[in-house]
Amino acid sequence: MAHVTFSPPYTPPSQVVAQLRDRGYAVLQPRDTATWVGCALRDLQALGADWSDLPPDDYLKDGGRYRRRRHSCFIVEGPAVNQAPHRAHWQPVEYNALHGGLQRWFAPMRDETVARPVWRQLMQAAAGLSQAMCGQPSQPCYIEAHQFRIDTEGGIGRPTPEGAHRDGVDLVAVFLVSRQGIKGGETRIFEATGPNGQRFTLSEPWSVMLLDDARMIHETTPIQPTEDGGWRDTLVVTCRGGGFQGDASQ
């Protein structure tokens, strides 16, 4: 039986803020992602090599060994992009019923990755969009960046083992970095307080799904191998005003 996929509902870059405010989500195709970030697409593509050495995620409560990741945090204030001291990733159980309440210390992103000029551009673009969406252009933006590889060595990989969820932030950006030798990995988004939803498969490297996290719930279906050694690489960037989740001052 053929595996059915649905194409993403792409949005022109000029309409992203309006789409987020009206519908709660927007999806950009790769060349429009580069336009939004303000870089050449080849500069984004060059980041992909930095997914080849991600350490295992040792916190999976389902006992799986299918996820590898790195995690770092950044503060964007005006034109300044500063990497925050390395910190644990923390979410309340209200947003992550499986892993919420845990101080999860993941390996930091490599210095070579965050030193690339395109990384700074990417952080500025995400922060600027979050601030525009929230109508707070002068507020510092607190960003958490996650490099993920989900593999199928055990037969199946789960991009979102916690199920459909919100992240407790303002903006969520899910960039597809690459996918190889797999089927599945369908993105599903739903209104948090309404009946509407969308389903589609990100298949083009450096396409991106953008979400107003207060309004939308999201998940990605499991992946299965179509050949040996299949994987799905993503970059997840979350933006939040007021501080990082888990700060004692909040």
Side-chain angles (χ1 to χ4, degrees), residues 36-56:
W36 166 55
V37 173
C39 67
L41 181 56
R42 64 178 177 274
D43 294 331
L44 289 171
Q45 293 167 338
L47 286 171
D50 297 344
W51 268 252
S52 62
D53 67 343
L54 304 184

Side-chain angles (χ1 to χ4, degrees), residues 19 21 60-61 67 70 95 115 162 185 195 200 213 235:
Q19 173 85 353
R21 289 176 175 169
L60 286 170
K61 283 191 171 182
R67 184 158 78 180
R70 291 183 184 271
Y95 292 112
E162 64 271 37
F200 53 87
D213 187 63
L235 170 65

Side-chain angles (χ1 to χ4, degrees), residues 123-193:
M123 294 295 96
Q124 289 172 326
L129 180 57
S130 182
Q131 291 161 338
M133 184 186 73
C134 296
Q136 298 173 323
S138 61
Q139 184 181 47
C141 186
Y142 296 81
I143 294 179
E144 295 197 49
H146 306 259
Q147 294 173 283
F148 287 104
R149 170 165 288 188
I150 309 299
D151 66 45
T152 57
E153 289 184 14
I156 192 169
R158 295 177 174 85
T160 53
E162 64 271 37
H165 65 284
R166 290 162 54 209
D167 288 319
V169 297
D170 298 327
L171 178 77
V172 176
V174 181
F175 299 84
L176 179 72
V177 177
S178 66
R179 51 183 288 154
Q180 174 71 37
I182 62 168
K183 61 182 179 180
E186 180 180 83
T187 297
R188 296 178 179 179
I189 55 177
F190 316 91
E191 291 178 341
T193 59

Side-chain angles (χ1 to χ4, degrees), residues 45-250:
Q45 293 167 338
L47 286 171
D50 297 344
W51 268 252
S52 62
D53 67 343
L54 304 184
D57 180 341
D58 293 324
Y59 292 91
L60 286 170
K61 283 191 171 182
D62 65 359
R65 301 295 297 173
Y66 52 79
R67 184 158 78 180
R68 295 175 174 272
R69 69 192 294 179
R70 291 183 184 271
H71 166 251
S72 288
C73 297
F74 304 84
I75 301 173
V76 179
E77 190 167 7
V81 178
N82 294 305
Q83 187 167 2
H86 194 53
R87 57 183 291 118
H89 176 53
W90 183 88
Q91 293 173 297
V93 293
E94 290 83 359
Y95 292 112
N96 190 327
L98 185 61
H99 298 114
L102 294 176
Q103 295 280 335
R104 290 184 286 167
W105 287 93
F106 299 113
M109 296 178 64
R110 296 171 60 221
D111 291 343
E112 297 92 328
T113 304
V114 303
R116 295 174 184 260
V118 69
W119 184 258
R120 183 184 190 88
Q121 292 173 288
L122 201 158
M123 294 295 96
Q124 289 172 326
L129 180 57
S130 182
Q131 291 161 338
M133 184 186 73
C134 296
Q136 298 173 323
S138 61
Q139 184 181 47
C141 186
Y142 296 81
I143 294 179
E144 295 197 49
H146 306 259
Q147 294 173 283
F148 287 104
R149 170 165 288 188
I150 309 299
D151 66 45
T152 57
E153 289 184 14
I156 192 169
R158 295 177 174 85
T160 53
E162 64 271 37
H165 65 284
R166 290 162 54 209
D167 288 319
V169 297
D170 298 327
L171 178 77
V172 176
V174 181
F175 299 84
L176 179 72
V177 177
S178 66
R179 51 183 288 154
Q180 174 71 37
I182 62 168
K183 61 182 179 180
E186 180 180 83
T187 297
R188 296 178 179 179
I189 55 177
F190 316 91
E191 291 178 341
T193 59
N196 297 320
Q198 282 273 0
R199 56 188 295 197
F200 53 87
T201 302
L202 294 176
S203 59
E204 296 184 272
W206 293 101
S207 51
V208 60
M209 176 184 69
L210 303 161
L211 293 177
D212 179 344
D213 187 63
R215 295 174 56 189
M216 304 301 293
I217 297 170
H218 65 280
E219 67 176 340
T220 302
T221 62
I223 60 172
Q224 295 176 280
T226 58
E227 58 187 63
D228 290 341
W231 75 82
R232 181 178 186 264
D233 289 350
T234 56
L235 170 65
V236 177
V237 174
T238 66
C239 300
R240 190 172 188 264
F244 295 111
Q245 288 194 97
D247 278 354
S249 60
Q250 298 181 70

